[in-house]
Amino acid sequence: MKLATYRDGSRDGQLVVVSRDLSMAHYATGIAERLQQVLDDWGFLSPQLQDLYEALNGGKARHAFPFDPKMCMAPLPRAYQWADGSAYINHVELVRRARGAEVPASFYEDPLMYQGASDELLGPCDDVVVPSEDYGIDFEAEIAVVTGDVPMGSTPEQALEGIRLLMLANDVSLRNLIPAELAKGFGFFQSKPATAFSPVAVTLDELGAAWDRGRVNLTLQSTWNGRKVGQCEAGPEMTFHFGQLIAHICKTRNVRAGSIVGSGTVSNKGVEIDGRPQWPKGYSCIAEKRAIETILDGAPSTGYMKFGDTIRIEMKGLDGLSLCGAIDQRIAPLQR
């Protein structure tokens, strides 16, 4: 099934069920007001939402209305946890190669992860508000999952059983703030503003055969200022699958229902064409494009995002339909 959260003037919005083709929606008010309620009582409430979803798809939901992504908040407008991994080691390899640094051997055995802000999560059409262009504004196209309760000490296989929903993310980075923050030894903070999520979160059965033991074998599309810059394959080169990412968190703590876990920037390896490396799948963040330019030409030539720029992130299912709807945002200055 497909679920979204509509704006209603409150912090947490109103839960709606969305049709498979994203054309129609129906309030879930008679079952649950908020998505977090469903995650807290998944076994009891999700079958009722599934019945409503089937009625909606069959044209039998009495109070259905046209679905509007612009009315959407993030599926979880605020969450108990937002933990973002870096599961595509090719991304790490490119960025480090561009600055002449080696990738430590441990990076291939243990996932990188940071704890992001979860008190405000952006809707798919919300502006990315930044105080200054000088901060180095970058998009990051990612996949994310929402969990139920996953106990401390869970194995990757057990952790996979705790995944409830999947959605897309734009994990905005302020690249020019990162070096000074990392130099302090405590990781990202000001360089990671609010993250945006797709209008719709979907249960794993909506992926069909594309869901492959914690990986999504589909293409993630990134379109910057109307130009498609990324057609990255999300499955084959994901070094750590979602079960491994969740198990990484579970090493020393319980993961509670309503936690969001991100994949990190989806990234594909280059290929040799006429003796020169090429990246035909494009990129899912500008930092990676700049790293490629540095490797090829000795210096980056692509600048970061400016006020008024747009970014669209979307994934099509095996049926050709938009899986979670599109993140479609504009970069905007802070109005002081």
Side-chain angles (χ1 to χ4, degrees):
M1 63 184 159
K2 301 192 175 189
L3 303 173
T5 295
Y6 255 37
R7 301 181 189 280
D8 67 351
S10 71
R11 290 182 183 270
D12 298 305
Q14 205 47 241
L15 180 64
V16 299
V17 176
V18 184
S19 64
R20 183 169 287 112
D21 64 0
L22 306 184
S23 66
M24 301 298 292
H26 195 289
Y27 282 108
T29 314
I31 302 168
E33 298 278 343
R34 310 280 186 261
L35 180 55
Q36 184 61 49
Q37 290 175 257
V38 181
L39 295 164
D40 286 336
D41 198 3
W42 186 261
F44 180 67
L45 294 177
S46 66
Q48 298 176 57
L49 291 173
Q50 181 67 34
D51 289 343
L52 177 56
Y53 179 64
E54 291 172 4
L56 182 62
N57 286 315
K60 298 178 181 178
R62 292 179 57 193
H63 302 292
F65 53 87
F67 177 62
D68 182 2
K70 293 180 180 178
M71 283 290 293
C72 288
M73 306 171 78
L76 276 174
R78 49 182 175 168
Y80 286 114
Q81 177 167 225
W82 160 230
D84 195 23
S86 187
Y88 296 85
I89 292 299
N90 179 67
H91 172 72
V92 180
E93 291 172 339
L94 278 173
V95 172
R96 285 187 166 246
R97 181 180 167 190
R99 65 172 189 258
E102 293 285 329
V103 178
S106 63
F107 282 30
Y108 297 91
E109 301 162 3
D110 196 34
L112 286 169
M113 187 169 283
Y114 84 93
Q115 189 107 36
S118 61
D119 54 336
E120 181 189 28
L121 302 173
L122 299 181
C125 301
D126 290 345
D127 286 348
V128 177
V129 178
V130 183
S132 172
E133 290 179 344
D134 295 337
Y135 289 173
I137 308 162
D138 198 357
F139 68 90
E140 289 193 56
E142 304 187 9
I143 305 167
V145 296
V146 184
T147 76
D149 289 331
V150 185
M152 188 189 317
S154 293
T155 66
E157 291 71 27
Q158 291 168 336
L160 284 175
E161 297 302 313
I163 296 174
R164 298 288 179 257
L165 299 164
L166 180 140
M167 52 191 181
L168 307 181
N170 178 16
D171 179 42
V172 179
S173 289
L174 303 178
R175 298 293 181 186
N176 293 339
L177 301 185
I178 289 177
E181 286 203 318
L182 295 186
K184 294 179 179 179
F186 250 38
F188 303 121
F189 197 81
Q190 291 176 334
S191 53
K192 287 291 188 177
T195 304
F197 292 91
S198 53
V200 170
V202 306
T203 49
L204 299 181
D205 58 303
E206 294 293 329
L207 280 76
W211 178 252
D212 182 17
R213 300 183 301 278
R215 294 179 173 88
V216 180
N217 289 324
L218 294 171
T219 303
L220 187 62
Q221 303 174 6
S222 300
T223 304
W224 179 14
N225 289 337
R227 177 173 172 263
K228 196 168 289 183
V229 296
Q231 287 274 80
C232 295
E233 301 299 330
E237 295 176 46
M238 190 181 191
T239 310
F240 301 102
H241 63 67
F242 277 111
Q244 292 169 299
L245 295 177
I246 298 168
H248 179 80
I249 308 173
C250 288
K251 182 175 181 177
T252 58
R253 66 182 84 169
N254 296 311
V255 172
R256 292 308 187 194
S259 293
I260 305 172
V261 181
S263 67
T265 304
V266 176
S267 179
N268 293 157
K269 291 183 179 296
V271 296
E272 290 283 336
I273 300 176
D274 296 328
R276 182 177 169 86
Q278 304 283 335
W279 282 265
K281 300 291 185 181
Y283 53 91
S284 298
C285 73
I286 301 168
E288 191 164 302
K289 171 64 169 172
R290 289 167 58 89
I292 291 168
E293 291 167 346
T294 301
I295 292 165
L296 293 176
D297 307 318
S301 55
T302 300
Y304 291 117
M305 302 181 85
K306 302 294 184 184
F307 295 143
D309 280 9
T310 60
I311 178 65
R312 181 181 175 91
I313 299 167
E314 190 172 22
M315 177 175 274
K316 301 288 181 68
L318 294 174
D319 56 6
L321 299 176
S322 183
L323 182 67
C324 302
I327 296 171
D328 202 345
Q329 295 183 280
R330 182 179 66 95
I331 310 301
L334 176 64
Q335 300 297 324
R336 299 186 185 276

